[in-house]
Amino acid sequence: MRTGKVKKTSQPIHHQPPIRPSSLPKPKMPRRSNLLTVLSLLVLGLLGAVMAERSAGCGKANTIRSQQYTITINGKQRQYIMKIPDRYDNNFAHKLIFTWHQLGGSAQKIVNGENINQGGALPYYGLNALANNTAIFVVPNGLNAGWANQGGEDVTFFDELVKRVEADLCVETTQRFSTGFSYGGAMSYAVACARPTMIRAIAVISGSQLSGCNGGNSPVAFYGQHGTSDSVLNVSGGRQLRDRFVKNNGCTPVNPEPQPNGQNSVKTVYQGCREGYPVTWVIHRGDHNPSQTDSGSSTPFAPRNTWEFFSQFS
């Protein structure tokens, strides 16, 4: 830093008048320092914003455990199962992942998993095995084993679960996700429509519009997959859900419609989407199945694809 030159004097130094700070020339701040100062302030501001997204449960001794709970919503008793990491850290902000079961299923079946060779899904749709203690799972139980969402009551259930979980556990509130198969996919779609600012991304596996779509005009990151031979929910229903968020997210439609590659799935990542709001679509030749595999593989591709999609926002 340059401060200007002080002229030498032949007088003894004790006779020299003291130099007051106000009389010194003002130093010139190099432009590089100005830039670094601005960047430092921006980084601090961003860090502050990130810290502000941590839930109220961060740093608290948690009372929620990995077990089933019951709450009352609109006069009805509702059940849900919590799964927190085995090595839960109340100072680490976790992802919060909702997993909704299919029609006729249950929260317990999502927790336990079912035979993937008979149309079942892996436990927690295979995501807990990939999360490596970074995610908290909420597994709601549907009324009449489904998600009719009459009068928005299942979305209200979602609202209350978010409130209760985040008051007790440490969650990164910009990292809420939702996934499900069939009716569970429809419920994830309903949440994205009605609560777009509360959900970061959804993954719809062989879904259709069964749980309604209150709102549905705001962007939400969307992953969808469906089989062209689906005998329960036609692939056209899955494409309809996808196309809503292709439009909402400002993506460029794909023409012609993506098709499977023989017995292998084809993944399409849409281009031109608004930053932070991607759309990915996976098409396969299979039936109504959450555990579809590619030719020569015994591992379902939905868990890996879903986890990669959710993880891009970390």
Side-chain angles (χ1 to χ4, degrees):
M1 183 178 294
R2 299 170 63 185
T3 61
K5 296 180 180 180
V6 178
K7 293 182 180 180
K8 293 182 179 180
T9 176
S10 59
Q11 296 178 343
I13 193 165
H14 58 274
H15 291 304
Q16 185 176 348
I19 301 175
R20 299 180 183 276
S22 60
S23 66
L24 288 173
K26 291 184 178 180
K28 295 181 179 180
M29 183 69 74
R31 291 182 179 179
R32 181 181 179 85
S33 297
N34 279 332
L35 180 59
L36 289 175
T37 300
V38 171
L39 289 175
S40 297
L41 290 173
L42 285 173
V43 169
L44 288 173
L46 288 173
L47 285 174
V50 170
M51 292 296 288
E53 301 299 340
R54 291 159 60 90
S55 69
C58 292
K60 292 173 57 176
N62 60 298
T63 62
I64 291 178
R65 302 287 187 262
S66 294
Q67 64 182 61
Q68 179 171 300
Y69 292 90
T70 300
I71 59 175
T72 301
I73 304 292
N74 296 338
K76 299 176 182 178
Q77 287 196 326
R78 306 299 303 266
Q79 291 78 38
Y80 62 101
I81 297 175
M82 292 296 307
K83 174 67 174 73
I84 66 174
D86 297 331
R87 297 188 297 277
Y88 173 72
D89 179 352
N90 65 5
N91 288 309
F92 174 78
H94 299 75
K95 292 179 176 66
L96 184 62
I97 303 178
F98 284 79
T99 55
W100 311 85
H101 62 74
Q102 68 191 82
L103 179 63
S106 68
Q108 195 61 58
K109 288 180 180 179
I110 294 296
V111 171
N112 295 341
E114 298 182 274
N115 190 334
I116 63 172
N117 296 315
Q118 296 179 2
L122 293 167
Y124 303 97
Y125 290 112
L127 300 181
N128 186 48
L130 301 173
N132 191 27
N133 293 301
T134 64
I136 295 166
F137 289 86
V138 185
V139 192
N141 218 28
L143 293 171
N144 301 313
W147 304 106
N149 191 31
Q150 293 183 5
E153 62 184 345
D154 290 324
V155 171
T156 301
F157 188 19
F158 166 79
D159 292 341
E160 186 62 29
L161 290 176
V162 170
K163 184 190 307 182
R164 289 183 174 228
V165 170
E166 294 185 0
D168 192 81
L169 298 174
C170 192
V171 173
E172 172 55 58
T173 63
T174 62
Q175 296 281 292
R176 301 187 193 111
F177 304 97
S178 181
T179 187
F181 165 62
S182 192
Y183 221 154
M187 186 59 206
S188 293
Y189 176 75
V191 168
C193 288
R195 299 292 185 267
T197 62
M198 291 180 62
I199 202 80
R200 186 65 189 84
I202 64 171
V204 176
I205 304 169
S206 304
S208 192
Q209 187 166 323
L210 306 172
S211 306
C213 178
N214 181 21
N217 299 312
S218 299
V220 174
F222 179 92
Y223 170 91
Q225 73 173 56
H226 216 111
T228 56
S229 300
D230 195 316
S231 59
V232 178
L233 296 175
N234 191 275
V235 66
S236 61
R239 288 170 176 154
Q240 180 183 6
L241 306 192
R242 174 204 65 191
D243 289 345
R244 175 180 290 274
F245 285 103
V246 167
K247 179 182 178 181
N248 289 355
N249 298 4
C251 309
T252 303
V254 172
N255 191 25
E257 183 67 50
Q259 299 296 333
N261 180 17
Q263 297 304 311
N264 292 320
S265 63
V266 169
K267 179 192 289 187
T268 301
V269 177
Y270 280 72
Q271 302 300 306
C273 304
R274 290 176 54 181
E275 185 174 358
Y277 296 100
V279 171
T280 295
W281 173 251
V282 174
I283 191 72
H284 59 83
R285 199 173 294 282
D287 201 344
H288 198 62
N289 183 9
S291 300
Q292 186 70 32
T293 61
D294 284 324
S295 179
S297 173
S298 59
T299 303
F301 49 72
R304 180 187 67 253
N305 287 342
T306 299
W307 184 251
E308 287 178 355
F309 190 77
F310 288 171
S311 295
Q312 70 182 303
F313 305 107
S314 299

mmCIF file of all heavy atoms in Angstrom, residues 5-48:
data_model
loop_
_atom_site.group_PDB
_atom_site.id
_atom_site.type_symbol
_atom_site.label_atom_id
_atom_site.label_comp_id
_atom_site.label_asym_id
_atom_site.label_seq_id
_atom_site.Cartn_x
_atom_site.Cartn_y
_atom_site.Cartn_z
ATOM 1 N N LYS A 5 5.548 9.911 0.370
ATOM 2 C CA LYS A 5 6.880 9.984 0.959
ATOM 3 C C LYS A 5 6.948 11.135 1.954
ATOM 4 O O LYS A 5 6.423 12.200 1.722
ATOM 5 C CB LYS A 5 7.924 10.202 -0.135
ATOM 6 C CG LYS A 5 8.011 9.028 -1.119
ATOM 7 C CD LYS A 5 9.062 9.285 -2.176
ATOM 8 C CE LYS A 5 9.143 8.118 -3.149
ATOM 9 N NZ LYS A 5 10.157 8.347 -4.199
ATOM 10 N N VAL A 6 7.651 10.878 3.077
ATOM 11 C CA VAL A 6 7.906 11.927 4.067
ATOM 12 C C VAL A 6 9.327 12.433 3.846
ATOM 13 O O VAL A 6 10.283 11.647 3.839
ATOM 14 C CB VAL A 6 7.764 11.376 5.501
ATOM 15 C CG1 VAL A 6 8.076 12.468 6.516
ATOM 16 C CG2 VAL A 6 6.370 10.824 5.710
ATOM 17 N N LYS A 7 9.505 13.749 3.624
ATOM 18 C CA LYS A 7 10.825 14.305 3.332
ATOM 19 C C LYS A 7 11.740 14.198 4.536
ATOM 20 O O LYS A 7 11.335 14.388 5.674
ATOM 21 C CB LYS A 7 10.693 15.775 2.930
ATOM 22 C CG LYS A 7 9.965 15.968 1.616
ATOM 23 C CD LYS A 7 9.920 17.435 1.251
ATOM 24 C CE LYS A 7 9.184 17.629 -0.072
ATOM 25 N NZ LYS A 7 9.116 19.057 -0.454
ATOM 26 N N LYS A 8 13.012 13.928 4.242
ATOM 27 C CA LYS A 8 14.006 13.860 5.307
ATOM 28 C C LYS A 8 14.267 15.260 5.832
ATOM 29 O O LYS A 8 14.175 16.235 5.131
ATOM 30 C CB LYS A 8 15.313 13.252 4.783
ATOM 31 C CG LYS A 8 15.172 11.780 4.397
ATOM 32 C CD LYS A 8 16.492 11.221 3.946
ATOM 33 C CE LYS A 8 16.381 9.738 3.568
ATOM 34 N NZ LYS A 8 17.667 9.193 3.119
ATOM 35 N N THR A 9 14.708 15.385 7.103
ATOM 36 C CA THR A 9 15.035 16.671 7.716
ATOM 37 C C THR A 9 16.347 16.557 8.453
ATOM 38 O O THR A 9 16.686 15.490 8.970
ATOM 39 C CB THR A 9 13.921 17.108 8.687
ATOM 40 O OG1 THR A 9 14.327 18.306 9.310
ATOM 41 C CG2 THR A 9 13.641 16.052 9.739
ATOM 42 N N SER A 10 17.080 17.665 8.493
ATOM 43 C CA SER A 10 18.363 17.666 9.195
ATOM 44 C C SER A 10 18.189 17.979 10.660
ATOM 45 O O SER A 10 19.143 17.907 11.433
ATOM 46 C CB SER A 10 19.304 18.701 8.553
ATOM 47 O OG SER A 10 18.719 19.993 8.610
ATOM 48 N N GLN A 11 17.010 18.370 11.081
ATOM 49 C CA GLN A 11 16.773 18.674 12.478
ATOM 50 C C GLN A 11 16.702 17.387 13.291
ATOM 51 O O GLN A 11 16.324 16.343 12.775
ATOM 52 C CB GLN A 11 15.460 19.456 12.641
ATOM 53 C CG GLN A 11 15.469 20.820 11.983
ATOM 54 C CD GLN A 11 14.138 21.511 12.132
ATOM 55 O OE1 GLN A 11 13.152 20.874 12.435
ATOM 56 N NE2 GLN A 11 14.137 22.813 11.911
ATOM 57 N N PRO A 12 17.070 17.453 14.590
ATOM 58 C CA PRO A 12 16.900 16.272 15.439
ATOM 59 C C PRO A 12 15.451 15.838 15.430
ATOM 60 O O PRO A 12 14.532 16.651 15.394
ATOM 61 C CB PRO A 12 17.327 16.773 16.826
ATOM 62 C CG PRO A 12 18.166 17.962 16.566
ATOM 63 C CD PRO A 12 17.629 18.590 15.325
ATOM 64 N N ILE A 13 15.275 14.561 15.499
ATOM 65 C CA ILE A 13 13.927 14.029 15.340
ATOM 66 C C ILE A 13 12.977 14.489 16.441
ATOM 67 O O ILE A 13 11.776 14.630 16.224
ATOM 68 C CB ILE A 13 13.976 12.488 15.261
ATOM 69 C CG1 ILE A 13 12.612 11.965 14.768
ATOM 70 C CG2 ILE A 13 14.344 11.890 16.618
ATOM 71 C CD1 ILE A 13 12.667 10.549 14.334
ATOM 72 N N HIS A 14 13.593 14.855 17.683
ATOM 73 C CA HIS A 14 12.693 15.255 18.752
ATOM 74 C C HIS A 14 12.179 16.673 18.552
ATOM 75 O O HIS A 14 11.294 17.105 19.264
ATOM 76 C CB HIS A 14 13.368 15.123 20.127
ATOM 77 C CG HIS A 14 14.622 15.940 20.257
ATOM 78 N ND1 HIS A 14 15.861 15.454 19.852
ATOM 79 C CD2 HIS A 14 14.814 17.191 20.747
ATOM 80 C CE1 HIS A 14 16.784 16.381 20.094
ATOM 81 N NE2 HIS A 14 16.165 17.443 20.633
ATOM 82 N N HIS A 15 12.777 17.408 17.585
ATOM 83 C CA HIS A 15 12.260 18.743 17.285
ATOM 84 C C HIS A 15 11.227 18.718 16.178
ATOM 85 O O HIS A 15 10.588 19.708 15.901
ATOM 86 C CB HIS A 15 13.411 19.684 16.870
ATOM 87 C CG HIS A 15 14.337 20.003 18.011
ATOM 88 N ND1 HIS A 15 13.909 20.558 19.192
ATOM 89 C CD2 HIS A 15 15.687 19.835 18.131
ATOM 90 C CE1 HIS A 15 14.933 20.727 20.014
ATOM 91 N NE2 HIS A 15 16.025 20.281 19.388
ATOM 92 N N GLN A 16 11.080 17.570 15.491
ATOM 93 C CA GLN A 16 10.142 17.490 14.357
ATOM 94 C C GLN A 16 8.719 17.441 14.879
ATOM 95 O O GLN A 16 8.403 16.675 15.781
ATOM 96 C CB GLN A 16 10.431 16.244 13.523
ATOM 97 C CG GLN A 16 9.570 16.157 12.275
ATOM 98 C CD GLN A 16 9.970 14.965 11.439
ATOM 99 O OE1 GLN A 16 11.008 14.382 11.697
ATOM 100 N NE2 GLN A 16 9.175 14.633 10.476
ATOM 101 N N PRO A 17 7.842 18.286 14.351
ATOM 102 C CA PRO A 17 6.447 18.259 14.819
ATOM 103 C C PRO A 17 5.828 16.885 14.555
ATOM 104 O O PRO A 17 6.123 16.256 13.535
ATOM 105 C CB PRO A 17 5.748 19.334 13.981
ATOM 106 C CG PRO A 17 6.789 20.002 13.192
ATOM 107 C CD PRO A 17 8.044 19.219 13.272
ATOM 108 N N PRO A 18 4.986 16.391 15.432
ATOM 109 C CA PRO A 18 4.346 15.083 15.207
ATOM 110 C C PRO A 18 3.446 15.117 13.974
ATOM 111 O O PRO A 18 2.817 16.122 13.690
ATOM 112 C CB PRO A 18 3.509 14.872 16.465
ATOM 113 C CG PRO A 18 3.265 16.238 17.009
ATOM 114 C CD PRO A 18 4.466 17.034 16.659
ATOM 115 N N ILE A 19 3.474 14.041 13.260
ATOM 116 C CA ILE A 19 2.641 13.932 12.054
ATOM 117 C C ILE A 19 1.297 13.338 12.455
ATOM 118 O O ILE A 19 1.217 12.216 12.947
ATOM 119 C CB ILE A 19 3.304 13.051 10.985
ATOM 120 C CG1 ILE A 19 4.657 13.654 10.599
ATOM 121 C CG2 ILE A 19 2.424 12.884 9.769
ATOM 122 C CD1 ILE A 19 5.449 12.797 9.641
ATOM 123 N N ARG A 20 0.270 14.144 12.316
ATOM 124 C CA ARG A 20 -1.057 13.660 12.689
ATOM 125 C C ARG A 20 -1.613 12.762 11.573
ATOM 126 O O ARG A 20 -1.409 13.026 10.399
ATOM 127 C CB ARG A 20 -2.006 14.841 12.905
ATOM 128 C CG ARG A 20 -1.545 15.760 14.029
ATOM 129 C CD ARG A 20 -2.507 16.905 14.207
ATOM 130 N NE ARG A 20 -2.037 17.816 15.223
ATOM 131 C CZ ARG A 20 -2.254 17.640 16.512
ATOM 132 N NH1 ARG A 20 -2.944 16.580 16.924
ATOM 133 N NH2 ARG A 20 -1.798 18.509 17.394
ATOM 134 N N PRO A 21 -2.327 11.721 11.950
ATOM 135 C CA PRO A 21 -2.892 10.833 10.915
ATOM 136 C C PRO A 21 -3.724 11.575 9.899
ATOM 137 O O PRO A 21 -3.722 11.252 8.725
ATOM 138 C CB PRO A 21 -3.747 9.855 11.726
ATOM 139 C CG PRO A 21 -3.140 9.850 13.084
ATOM 140 C CD PRO A 21 -2.630 11.246 13.295
ATOM 141 N N SER A 22 -4.436 12.634 10.348
ATOM 142 C CA SER A 22 -5.304 13.351 9.423
ATOM 143 C C SER A 22 -4.517 14.132 8.387
ATOM 144 O O SER A 22 -5.054 14.532 7.363
ATOM 145 C CB SER A 22 -6.223 14.295 10.198
ATOM 146 O OG SER A 22 -5.442 15.223 10.930
ATOM 147 N N SER A 23 -3.239 14.384 8.678
ATOM 148 C CA SER A 23 -2.432 15.156 7.731
ATOM 149 C C SER A 23 -1.754 14.290 6.700
ATOM 150 O O SER A 23 -1.159 14.784 5.755
ATOM 151 C CB SER A 23 -1.372 15.965 8.491
ATOM 152 O OG SER A 23 -0.437 15.072 9.096
ATOM 153 N N LEU A 24 -1.797 12.964 6.890
ATOM 154 C CA LEU A 24 -1.174 12.064 5.922
ATOM 155 C C LEU A 24 -2.037 11.949 4.677
ATOM 156 O O LEU A 24 -3.262 12.010 4.751
ATOM 157 C CB LEU A 24 -1.008 10.664 6.525
ATOM 158 C CG LEU A 24 0.079 10.516 7.601
ATOM 159 C CD1 LEU A 24 -0.006 9.138 8.209
ATOM 160 C CD2 LEU A 24 1.450 10.754 7.011
ATOM 161 N N PRO A 25 -1.424 11.748 3.520
ATOM 162 C CA PRO A 25 -2.219 11.516 2.313
ATOM 163 C C PRO A 25 -3.038 10.236 2.469
ATOM 164 O O PRO A 25 -2.561 9.259 3.039
ATOM 165 C CB PRO A 25 -1.160 11.370 1.205
ATOM 166 C CG PRO A 25 0.119 11.828 1.781
ATOM 167 C CD PRO A 25 0.020 11.716 3.254
ATOM 168 N N LYS A 26 -4.278 10.231 1.940
ATOM 169 C CA LYS A 26 -5.103 9.034 2.011
ATOM 170 C C LYS A 26 -4.545 7.968 1.077
ATOM 171 O O LYS A 26 -4.225 8.251 -0.068
ATOM 172 C CB LYS A 26 -6.549 9.354 1.611
ATOM 173 C CG LYS A 26 -7.261 10.234 2.623
ATOM 174 C CD LYS A 26 -8.702 10.426 2.227
ATOM 175 C CE LYS A 26 -9.428 11.271 3.267
ATOM 176 N NZ LYS A 26 -10.840 11.484 2.914
ATOM 177 N N PRO A 27 -4.374 6.743 1.603
ATOM 178 C CA PRO A 27 -3.828 5.687 0.736
ATOM 179 C C PRO A 27 -4.793 5.349 -0.380
ATOM 180 O O PRO A 27 -6.007 5.395 -0.208
ATOM 181 C CB PRO A 27 -3.665 4.499 1.698
ATOM 182 C CG PRO A 27 -4.652 4.745 2.787
ATOM 183 C CD PRO A 27 -4.724 6.239 2.935
ATOM 184 N N LYS A 28 -4.238 4.990 -1.510
ATOM 185 C CA LYS A 28 -5.048 4.567 -2.643
ATOM 186 C C LYS A 28 -5.220 3.059 -2.590
ATOM 187 O O LYS A 28 -4.244 2.326 -2.562
ATOM 188 C CB LYS A 28 -4.385 4.967 -3.971
ATOM 189 C CG LYS A 28 -4.292 6.477 -4.160
ATOM 190 C CD LYS A 28 -3.656 6.796 -5.495
ATOM 191 C CE LYS A 28 -3.576 8.311 -5.727
ATOM 192 N NZ LYS A 28 -2.955 8.626 -7.022
ATOM 193 N N MET A 29 -6.454 2.626 -2.556
ATOM 194 C CA MET A 29 -6.746 1.196 -2.507
ATOM 195 C C MET A 29 -6.677 0.602 -3.912
ATOM 196 O O MET A 29 -7.382 1.044 -4.809
ATOM 197 C CB MET A 29 -8.163 0.958 -1.946
ATOM 198 C CG MET A 29 -8.533 -0.515 -1.780
ATOM 199 S SD MET A 29 -7.613 -1.327 -0.476
ATOM 200 C CE MET A 29 -8.424 -0.603 0.957
ATOM 201 N N PRO A 30 -5.805 -0.365 -4.107
ATOM 202 C CA PRO A 30 -5.725 -0.968 -5.437
ATOM 203 C C PRO A 30 -7.054 -1.579 -5.829
ATOM 204 O O PRO A 30 -7.825 -2.018 -4.980
ATOM 205 C CB PRO A 30 -4.641 -2.052 -5.260
ATOM 206 C CG PRO A 30 -3.879 -1.660 -4.033
ATOM 207 C CD PRO A 30 -4.851 -0.944 -3.161
ATOM 208 N N ARG A 31 -7.323 -1.620 -7.101
ATOM 209 C CA ARG A 31 -8.592 -2.160 -7.578
ATOM 210 C C ARG A 31 -8.756 -3.617 -7.202
ATOM 211 O O ARG A 31 -9.843 -4.094 -6.939
ATOM 212 C CB ARG A 31 -8.678 -2.006 -9.104
ATOM 213 C CG ARG A 31 -8.824 -0.557 -9.538
ATOM 214 C CD ARG A 31 -8.963 -0.470 -11.039
ATOM 215 N NE ARG A 31 -9.132 0.902 -11.471
ATOM 216 C CZ ARG A 31 -9.254 1.254 -12.739
ATOM 217 N NH1 ARG A 31 -9.219 0.337 -13.699
ATOM 218 N NH2 ARG A 31 -9.410 2.528 -13.059
ATOM 219 N N ARG A 32 -7.661 -4.358 -7.170
ATOM 220 C CA ARG A 32 -7.725 -5.770 -6.818
ATOM 221 C C ARG A 32 -8.282 -5.952 -5.406
ATOM 222 O O ARG A 32 -9.100 -6.825 -5.139
ATOM 223 C CB ARG A 32 -6.340 -6.407 -6.930
ATOM 224 C CG ARG A 32 -6.316 -7.909 -6.609
ATOM 225 C CD ARG A 32 -4.895 -8.443 -6.713
ATOM 226 N NE ARG A 32 -4.851 -9.846 -6.393
ATOM 227 C CZ ARG A 32 -5.095 -10.828 -7.253
ATOM 228 N NH1 ARG A 32 -5.411 -10.520 -8.502
ATOM 229 N NH2 ARG A 32 -5.033 -12.091 -6.890
ATOM 230 N N SER A 33 -7.838 -5.062 -4.491
ATOM 231 C CA SER A 33 -8.328 -5.150 -3.122
ATOM 232 C C SER A 33 -9.821 -4.844 -3.057
ATOM 233 O O SER A 33 -10.570 -5.456 -2.301
ATOM 234 C CB SER A 33 -7.558 -4.179 -2.227
ATOM 235 O OG SER A 33 -6.194 -4.543 -2.180
ATOM 236 N N ASN A 34 -10.241 -3.852 -3.848
ATOM 237 C CA ASN A 34 -11.674 -3.544 -3.909
ATOM 238 C C ASN A 34 -12.475 -4.756 -4.341
ATOM 239 O O ASN A 34 -13.521 -5.073 -3.790
ATOM 240 C CB ASN A 34 -11.934 -2.389 -4.874
ATOM 241 C CG ASN A 34 -11.665 -1.047 -4.219
ATOM 242 O OD1 ASN A 34 -11.789 -0.925 -3.006
ATOM 243 N ND2 ASN A 34 -11.294 -0.054 -5.005
ATOM 244 N N LEU A 35 -11.990 -5.438 -5.371
ATOM 245 C CA LEU A 35 -12.678 -6.607 -5.895
ATOM 246 C C LEU A 35 -12.736 -7.711 -4.845
ATOM 247 O O LEU A 35 -13.773 -8.344 -4.640
ATOM 248 C CB LEU A 35 -11.974 -7.106 -7.159
ATOM 249 C CG LEU A 35 -12.581 -8.352 -7.830
ATOM 250 C CD1 LEU A 35 -14.022 -8.078 -8.227
ATOM 251 C CD2 LEU A 35 -11.753 -8.745 -9.039
ATOM 252 N N LEU A 36 -11.603 -7.940 -4.171
ATOM 253 C CA LEU A 36 -11.580 -8.983 -3.150
ATOM 254 C C LEU A 36 -12.535 -8.656 -2.008
ATOM 255 O O LEU A 36 -13.201 -9.537 -1.460
ATOM 256 C CB LEU A 36 -10.159 -9.145 -2.611
ATOM 257 C CG LEU A 36 -9.154 -9.780 -3.580
ATOM 258 C CD1 LEU A 36 -7.758 -9.765 -2.978
ATOM 259 C CD2 LEU A 36 -9.568 -11.215 -3.899
ATOM 260 N N THR A 37 -12.605 -7.383 -1.647
ATOM 261 C CA THR A 37 -13.519 -6.982 -0.577
ATOM 262 C C THR A 37 -14.961 -7.253 -0.954
ATOM 263 O O THR A 37 -15.748 -7.789 -0.166
ATOM 264 C CB THR A 37 -13.346 -5.480 -0.271
ATOM 265 O OG1 THR A 37 -11.999 -5.246 0.131
ATOM 266 C CG2 THR A 37 -14.292 -5.042 0.843
ATOM 267 N N VAL A 38 -15.330 -6.898 -2.192
ATOM 268 C CA VAL A 38 -16.692 -7.127 -2.663
ATOM 269 C C VAL A 38 -17.007 -8.621 -2.689
ATOM 270 O O VAL A 38 -18.073 -9.059 -2.240
ATOM 271 C CB VAL A 38 -16.890 -6.501 -4.065
ATOM 272 C CG1 VAL A 38 -18.231 -6.921 -4.648
ATOM 273 C CG2 VAL A 38 -16.816 -4.983 -3.974
ATOM 274 N N LEU A 39 -16.051 -9.405 -3.191
ATOM 275 C CA LEU A 39 -16.267 -10.849 -3.264
ATOM 276 C C LEU A 39 -16.418 -11.447 -1.869
ATOM 277 O O LEU A 39 -17.258 -12.322 -1.637
ATOM 278 C CB LEU A 39 -15.108 -11.524 -3.998
ATOM 279 C CG LEU A 39 -15.047 -11.274 -5.500
ATOM 280 C CD1 LEU A 39 -13.788 -11.895 -6.095
ATOM 281 C CD2 LEU A 39 -16.282 -11.853 -6.191
ATOM 282 N N SER A 40 -15.605 -10.964 -0.932
ATOM 283 C CA SER A 40 -15.702 -11.465 0.441
ATOM 284 C C SER A 40 -17.067 -11.177 1.040
ATOM 285 O O SER A 40 -17.675 -12.026 1.702
ATOM 286 C CB SER A 40 -14.613 -10.825 1.310
ATOM 287 O OG SER A 40 -13.329 -11.182 0.845
ATOM 288 N N LEU A 41 -17.566 -9.965 0.778
ATOM 289 C CA LEU A 41 -18.887 -9.609 1.293
ATOM 290 C C LEU A 41 -19.977 -10.476 0.671
ATOM 291 O O LEU A 41 -20.929 -10.883 1.343
ATOM 292 C CB LEU A 41 -19.170 -8.128 1.028
ATOM 293 C CG LEU A 41 -18.328 -7.137 1.849
ATOM 294 C CD1 LEU A 41 -18.581 -5.713 1.359
ATOM 295 C CD2 LEU A 41 -18.656 -7.246 3.335
ATOM 296 N N LEU A 42 -19.842 -10.756 -0.624
ATOM 297 C CA LEU A 42 -20.824 -11.602 -1.300
ATOM 298 C C LEU A 42 -20.812 -13.007 -0.724
ATOM 299 O O LEU A 42 -21.861 -13.607 -0.487
ATOM 300 C CB LEU A 42 -20.533 -11.650 -2.807
ATOM 301 C CG LEU A 42 -20.911 -10.405 -3.606
ATOM 302 C CD1 LEU A 42 -20.411 -10.536 -5.045
ATOM 303 C CD2 LEU A 42 -22.420 -10.206 -3.602
ATOM 304 N N VAL A 43 -19.607 -13.556 -0.489
ATOM 305 C CA VAL A 43 -19.496 -14.898 0.073
ATOM 306 C C VAL A 43 -20.124 -14.952 1.456
ATOM 307 O O VAL A 43 -20.871 -15.868 1.789
ATOM 308 C CB VAL A 43 -18.010 -15.341 0.134
ATOM 309 C CG1 VAL A 43 -17.875 -16.626 0.958
ATOM 310 C CG2 VAL A 43 -17.473 -15.568 -1.273
ATOM 311 N N LEU A 44 -19.827 -13.933 2.270
ATOM 312 C CA LEU A 44 -20.421 -13.895 3.606
ATOM 313 C C LEU A 44 -21.939 -13.815 3.534
ATOM 314 O O LEU A 44 -22.652 -14.444 4.317
ATOM 315 C CB LEU A 44 -19.864 -12.697 4.386
ATOM 316 C CG LEU A 44 -18.408 -12.809 4.841
ATOM 317 C CD1 LEU A 44 -17.939 -11.490 5.432
ATOM 318 C CD2 LEU A 44 -18.244 -13.934 5.854
ATOM 319 N N GLY A 45 -22.425 -13.044 2.567
ATOM 320 C CA GLY A 45 -23.876 -12.938 2.404
ATOM 321 C C GLY A 45 -24.496 -14.256 2.008
ATOM 322 O O GLY A 45 -25.536 -14.656 2.514
ATOM 323 N N LEU A 46 -23.830 -14.964 1.092
ATOM 324 C CA LEU A 46 -24.342 -16.260 0.660
ATOM 325 C C LEU A 46 -24.310 -17.269 1.794
ATOM 326 O O LEU A 46 -25.237 -18.054 1.968
ATOM 327 C CB LEU A 46 -23.519 -16.775 -0.535
ATOM 328 C CG LEU A 46 -23.742 -16.036 -1.847
ATOM 329 C CD1 LEU A 46 -22.744 -16.516 -2.899
ATOM 330 C CD2 LEU A 46 -25.169 -16.243 -2.352
ATOM 331 N N LEU A 47 -23.221 -17.257 2.572
ATOM 332 C CA LEU A 47 -23.140 -18.166 3.703
ATOM 333 C C LEU A 47 -24.262 -17.893 4.696
ATOM 334 O O LEU A 47 -24.872 -18.806 5.248
ATOM 335 C CB LEU A 47 -21.775 -18.028 4.389
ATOM 336 C CG LEU A 47 -20.589 -18.658 3.662
ATOM 337 C CD1 LEU A 47 -19.291 -18.301 4.382
ATOM 338 C CD2 LEU A 47 -20.744 -20.163 3.578
ATOM 339 N N GLY A 48 -24.548 -16.620 4.905
ATOM 340 C CA GLY A 48 -25.632 -16.262 5.815
ATOM 341 C C GLY A 48 -26.957 -16.773 5.308
ATOM 342 O O GLY A 48 -27.778 -17.274 6.079
#
